[in-house]
Amino acid sequence: MKKRCMHYTFHHGGAVKGANKDLQQIQAALQTGNLETVDYWTKKLSYHLSSHILHSIFWTNLTNKKNDPTGNLLKRIERDFGSYDKLKGYLSKISKDVDGNGWGILGYQPYTDKLTLLQCENHEKLTQWGVIPLLVIDVWEHAYYLKFKNKRNDFVDNLFNIINWGIVAQRLDIALKLS
C-alpha cells in the first residue's frame, strides 16, 4: 500500500497541484491582458492535466483479482485485434517500448468505430484526436521502480493479472453511447 500511496500522492498529486497552478496562471494572464506567458502555461497545463486524467483512469483499471474481458468488449477486441491474446501481446509490446516515460493506452476511436492502441510518450504527446481512453498502462519509472526496479517488462507482464476488465468494458459502453 505504501508504494501505491507514494505513486498516488507524490506523482499523481503533483500533477493535480501543477494543473491547478497552471490554470491560475492562465487566468491571471487573461485578467491582466498580459498574454506573454500564456503559451508556456498552456503547455504546462497539457502536461499536468493529461497526467491527472491518465492516472485517474489507471487507478480504476486495477483490481485484486484476475479476470478477462467478456461480452461486447471481448467481441470488439476479437474484431479489431483478432483475439485477446493478440491484443495483450500488442498492448504489452507498445507499453514496454515507450521511449523514456509514458503510457500504453487501449482506446476507442469513434471516427472509425474501432478499438485502437496508442504509445504515448510523457502524457501529452503522440495522441489521436478523439480517442477515448479505456485502459492505460503507466510505464513511467515511478510506477514500477520500487517493486520491479528497472524491469519495466516484468511490471507490464504482471499488470495484466490485475486489470479490471469490467471497468474497461464500462468505459467502452459509455464511449459507444457518446459517439
Side-chain angles (χ1 to χ4, degrees):
M1 187 60 134
K2 185 177 181 181
K3 293 173 190 172
R4 179 176 177 206
C5 290
M6 182 176 157
H7 185 174
Y8 181 81
T9 303
F10 182 72
H11 296 288
H12 185 182
V16 172
K17 288 176 189 169
N20 287 331
K21 178 183 176 184
D22 304 336
L23 287 167
Q24 290 171 349
Q25 294 296 324
I26 292 167
Q27 198 62 280
L30 291 172
Q31 288 174 357
T32 63
N34 180 2
L35 301 180
E36 293 295 318
T37 61
V38 79
D39 183 52
Y40 171 79
W41 291 111
T42 300
K43 288 177 183 171
K44 296 289 279 181
L45 178 62
S46 175
Y47 177 81
H48 289 124
L49 194 54
S50 294
S51 174
H52 167 57
I53 291 167
L54 292 171
H55 274 102
S56 295
I57 294 169
F58 178 69
W59 300 125
T60 63
N61 282 152
L62 304 177
T63 184
N64 61 0
K65 60 183 176 187
K66 183 170 176 24
N67 62 87
D68 292 324
T70 60
N72 188 38
L73 176 62
L74 180 60
K75 288 178 189 170
R76 285 182 172 265
I77 288 170
E78 290 170 342
R79 180 191 76 182
D80 297 338
F81 299 102
S83 71
Y84 171 55
D85 285 338
K86 287 181 182 178
L87 165 72
K88 247 174 52 171
Y90 184 10
L91 181 56
S92 179
K93 177 71 173 151
I94 67 164
S95 297
K96 292 173 182 178
D97 290 351
V98 170
D99 286 335
N101 293 309
W103 303 81
I105 300 172
L106 169 66
Y108 172 69
Q109 175 53 268
Y111 299 108
T112 61
D113 188 34
K114 292 188 181 286
L115 298 177
T116 188
L117 294 179
L118 303 170
Q119 186 184 57
C120 179
E121 296 173 4
N122 296 325
H123 303 295
E124 76 284 13
K125 298 177 182 175
L126 299 177
T127 188
Q128 295 176 29
W129 292 105
V131 168
I132 301 166
L134 306 176
L135 166 68
V136 300
I137 296 176
D138 186 346
V139 290
W140 282 72
E141 193 175 70
H142 67 248
Y144 57 87
Y145 70 93
L146 289 175
K147 183 172 182 180
F148 291 92
K149 310 292 185 241
N150 64 344
K151 297 178 177 149
R152 178 188 286 181
N153 293 356
D154 292 349
F155 168 73
V156 171
D157 290 341
N158 279 282
L159 199 62
F160 279 96
N161 293 322
I162 58 169
I163 290 175
N164 188 339
W165 288 103
I167 293 292
V168 177
Q170 287 176 8
R171 279 202 188 87
L172 175 61
D173 290 344
I174 292 167
L176 292 170
K177 289 176 187 171
L178 295 173
S179 59

